[in-house]
Amino acid sequence: MKILHLTPELAPWSKAGGLGDAASALARQLAALGHEVRIVTPLYGSVPEREQMGIKLESSQVPVGGDPRRAACRVRSLAVAPNCEAWFIEHEDFYGAREIYPAREDTAERAAFYGRAGLQACLETGWIPDVVHCHDWTTGLMPVLLNTTLKDTPLGRCASILTIHNLQHQGLLSRRILGFLGLPEWLFQPAELECLGGVNFLKGGILHATRVVTVSPTYAQEILTPAYGYGLDDVVRRRQADLEGILNGVDSEEWDPRRDPHLVKSFSADDLSGKAFCKQAFLREMKLDPDLPIPLVGVISRLWEQKGLDLAARALPRFLRSGQLQFVLLGSGDGSLETEYRRLEKDFPGRCAVRIGYDHGLSHRIEAGADFFLMPSRFEPCGLNQLYSMAYGTLPIVRATGGLADTVKAWSPSARKGTGVVFQHADVAGIEWALEQALGLYGKPADFAAAQGQAMREEFSWSKSAQAHLLCYAKAIRQKQI
Ligand code: ADP
Ligand code: GLC
């Protein structure tokens, strides 16, 4: 199959969250299974390797409205893996800055441009995919283009997939995007792209993609309801017959405690002794008391309302005060939450460490050094960190939502089975209850070790995910032919 991915993030070149990891790993895995894969993504100012890239198209004229000088871009290419090429859209004005999602006056045009440029590159080079796989809201108008403006081009026969990695971010932007992309004005109506006086990118994608995927089976059910639908649940329900949930996986090249260059010692499910060294070294690195017989709870996260870390900040002081656990957080986002966690660090020296920012190496050392990993999300489409945690024998403490519910099995003391702690309610009491459970489990070393072993032996492979995507693509191609 020829598969084209359109994505605003592509790890390791650009990543704001799990989307960068997911798009990159899925594309490479599909290529490893023998398919021909191209990934279109912006060339942000932060990407260092541009001079080493090849040039696919020196000057492509993308048919967009407005200033004709803005329509031109260069397409650079880089072999990511055998059968898998990334096409970076180089456009200084749109993507020259370092940020992936800056707030700008031309957010709509900037979001839509690279996808449209990728489709143009297909037409100009004659590489016509069987499937166009779009990721999240910035790509939402591409399936609309395929069904309308590009219908009579060779791309008109392509099946399209929209993966919703997060329904909260929709791209509700100015209707002038229709003119920019050359989309017909009749699309501006409530039954189509219109939403609260603007154009909703994600709504367009949900309505027009041949099939819609989201990143876990539970989230696929949740987004049919008003509580999780962020105003689009009725639109999702219209596509219910073509909607499915496919779990993300773990990139074992990147996340494997047996061969992780960021760790002082390697370890495995059969021999966990190295993990104790990692914890010791990590506590010293963070200037936390190294010799306490208490668990270390870790968090690595964007600090957004989604993640429920405002609730955790209220649940934790009681446990830190009584010296029952140590805590480390790495993250950034909401300013007031950053301040709240910095205060927690000041209030509990030796027990609580907080690092505001983005740090790849540190994220590996937290996964290896912690005993538990806390994810009290209000919603979580899939979540990757609980998967990485399990691979590192760090038991996840999660709220039963989305992918967290699908991947973490609640520890049952009577059955001595389970891979983490699971709680139901997104509130302070829920998190307190979960932390009590975690402390109880840690207090029984044989049970704790049994849970660690089970967590480490779980398999969340991208290969499984890619196989499921291939079935989905085949269905979409069939649907498109009817
Ligand atoms: P989301 O995409 O909603 O942020 P995921 O759990 O799917 O959540 O993915 C988050 C990814 O981003 C993980 O790979 C995680 O390790 C990484 N990450 C998030 N914040 C940071 C940070 N401050 N430093 C390093 N890595 C981070
Ligand atoms: C989103 C979701 C997260 C998911 C990631 C990759 O950012 O918030 O749950 O794991 O995308 O699919």
Side-chain angles (χ1 to χ4, degrees), residues 15-19 21 165-166 248 255 300-302 306-307 330-332 355-363 367 375 380-386 388:
K15 168 173 161 177
L19 168 58
D21 287 344
H165 292 266
N166 192 324
N248 290 327
W255 295 98
I300 305 161
S301 185
R302 295 182 294 122
Q306 172 191 348
K307 302 294 178 179
L330 166 64
S332 64
R355 295 291 176 273
I356 300 301
Y358 193 92
D359 188 330
H360 185 67
L362 186 58
S363 74
E367 290 291 10
M375 289 179 83
E380 195 62 73
C382 178
L384 292 171
N385 273 314
Q386 83 280 15
Y388 304 156

Side-chain angles (χ1 to χ4, degrees), residues 164-291:
I164 302 171
H165 292 266
N166 192 324
L167 189 61
Q168 186 178 22
H169 307 290
Q170 302 177 358
L172 181 53
L173 295 162
S174 163
R175 67 181 290 184
R176 64 168 196 255
I177 195 64
L178 297 179
F180 180 77
L181 285 177
L183 285 167
E185 281 294 326
W186 63 259
L187 287 167
F188 195 72
Q189 52 167 309
E192 285 283 343
L193 312 186
E194 201 229 295
C195 194
L196 305 173
V199 161
N200 186 318
F201 277 50
L202 196 65
K203 183 182 179 191
I206 295 171
L207 289 175
H208 282 264
T210 318
R211 295 188 67 80
V212 180
V213 171
T214 187
V215 283
S216 69
T218 294
Y219 193 59
Q221 292 302 312
E222 287 173 339
I223 58 178
L224 298 167
T225 67
Y228 291 87
Y230 279 93
L232 287 187
D233 47 295
D234 59 327
V235 178
V236 178
R237 282 197 298 275
R238 276 163 66 187
R239 296 305 314 277
Q240 189 168 1
D242 299 314
L243 170 69
E244 64 191 290
I246 304 177
L247 279 176
N248 290 327
V250 173
D251 183 351
S252 54
E253 297 281 306
E254 172 77 29
W255 295 98
D256 182 349
R258 290 171 301 185
R259 49 193 174 105
D260 184 333
H262 301 286
L263 309 187
V264 288
K265 265 223 160 52
S266 54
F267 58 93
S268 68
D270 299 321
D271 180 7
L272 271 163
S273 54
K275 187 168 167 72
F277 282 95
C278 291
K279 180 175 178 182
Q280 278 295 314
F282 178 68
L283 290 171
R284 285 178 212 281
E285 177 188 347
M286 292 287 109
K287 304 204 168 32
L288 293 173
D289 293 343
D291 296 315

Side-chain angles (χ1 to χ4, degrees), residues 435-447:
L435 289 172
E436 298 282 4
Q437 301 301 304
L439 290 172
L441 179 54
Y442 192 76
K444 296 195 182 109
D447 282 8

